[in-house]
Amino acid sequence: MHWFEYLLLFTVIFLSGWSFLLLGKSNEMFLKLSLAFSGAFLFTISIIHLIPSLFEQGGSKAGYFILAGFFLQIIIEFFSEGIEHGHTHHHSSGEKTFPVTMMAGLSLHSFLEGMPLEGNFNQSHDHSHSHVLLTGIILHHIPVALALMSMLYASGLGKIKSLLWLAVFALMAPLGALASRLLMNADVEITPHFFDYTIAVVIGIFLHISTTILFESNKDHRFNLFKLMTVLAGGFIALLLF
């Protein structure tokens, strides 16, 4: 990735969360529809682009790492409380406390997603592969940043501390990419398929997040129609990027 792509990744995520403070509240309809759009986008790029490229380069063992990523996300959500797909839990009873485990789980999730943005997997394909993956991560993190700010502000942190923790979250994906770049340039021995298996884990995470979003239903049939249209739009636009 170029330096401006690192900056773009951080800036879009940070500004998305900051918009919660500017507006004074999150728009629940926008949050749900943006989640539906990003879920369809992630699912489409995983099935159409990432998985075929992975098995072409990483061999049959990559499937085990996709499964590992899928179940790893289930473990991460035990700590993050499912904020990755828009679940916000405001603990109104009792005194307000900073959600430490949620922040730790979400940060790990974001760090892992950023790792495949650098590495041999991207270098062996045309540059559009990296752009599609970057776009998917940004689209996924926009509603997550909104949900995070909603939870941080509800925890009683105040604006400044909430923005600082938002900045920490926004840094995680760029740091994941930077870690891969440093590992690639370091004089250490790693397995030739390390980066293939890294993206396999992330694909598993994408599949868990996207299917959870897509299969969640709502009692409001009108909203389900909006969600269906948004899902179709997300999948169609992801197809257009190839």
Side-chain angles (χ1 to χ4, degrees):
M1 288 206 309
H2 296 293
W3 67 266
F4 64 86
E5 290 175 307
Y6 280 90
L7 182 62
L8 177 68
L9 182 57
F10 170 83
T11 303
V12 173
I13 296 171
F14 183 80
L15 291 180
S16 299
W18 189 29
S19 68
F20 172 85
L21 294 180
L22 295 178
L23 298 174
K25 61 179 181 178
S26 61
N27 186 311
E28 187 176 352
M29 176 69 82
F30 173 78
L31 180 62
K32 289 182 177 180
L33 292 180
S34 59
L35 281 166
F37 183 90
S38 64
F41 191 94
L42 290 178
F43 187 77
T44 301
I45 65 172
S46 296
I47 298 299
I48 299 298
H49 190 62
L50 300 180
I51 292 177
S53 298
L54 173 65
F55 279 101
E56 178 185 340
Q57 185 172 328
S60 59
K61 288 184 179 179
Y64 293 102
F65 290 89
I66 293 176
L67 276 177
F70 189 93
F71 289 107
L72 174 61
Q73 180 57 33
I74 295 176
I75 297 172
I76 289 175
E77 287 187 13
F78 178 79
F79 300 98
S80 67
E81 302 181 21
I83 194 173
E84 299 90 337
H85 41 81
H87 288 181
T88 54
H89 302 277
H90 298 159
H91 305 288
S92 55
S93 59
E95 58 181 70
K96 296 178 178 180
T97 55
F98 176 70
V100 178
T101 55
M102 181 275 291
M103 194 70 209
L106 184 61
S107 297
L108 175 60
H109 168 88
S110 183
F111 184 88
L112 290 173
E113 284 187 335
M115 289 188 71
L117 290 171
E118 295 278 8
N120 295 332
F121 186 79
N122 278 328
Q123 288 184 345
S124 61
H125 295 78
D126 58 62
H127 202 54
S128 65
H129 176 280
S130 178
H131 287 162
V132 169
L133 184 59
L134 177 63
T135 303
I137 291 173
I138 288 175
L139 288 174
H140 166 46
H141 283 190
I142 288 173
V144 175
L146 281 169
L148 173 63
M149 279 302 290
S150 173
M151 287 189 68
L152 290 175
Y153 201 61
S155 69
L157 283 182
K159 291 183 180 180
I160 301 300
K161 288 184 178 179
S162 295
L163 285 172
L164 286 174
W165 283 109
L166 173 66
V168 170
F169 167 64
L171 278 171
M172 285 299 107
L175 285 176
L178 181 61
S180 284
R181 169 172 283 195
L182 293 175
L183 189 58
M184 207 170 40
N185 295 334
D187 190 19
V188 294
E189 244 184 83
I190 56 174
T191 173
H193 290 299
F194 174 81
F195 291 105
D196 298 325
Y197 297 152
T198 300
I199 186 122
V201 170
V202 172
I203 290 171
I205 291 173
F206 282 174
L207 290 177
H208 183 278
I209 294 294
S210 60
T211 52
T212 300
I213 292 170
L214 296 178
F215 288 130
E216 280 182 337
S217 60
N218 192 287
K219 293 179 180 179
D220 185 350
H221 293 291
R222 187 182 176 194
F223 172 75
N224 284 339
L225 175 61
F226 289 149
K227 180 178 178 179
L228 173 61
M229 295 168 61
T230 305
V231 165
L232 293 176
F236 182 69
I237 290 174
L239 288 174
L240 289 180
L241 292 179
F242 300 107

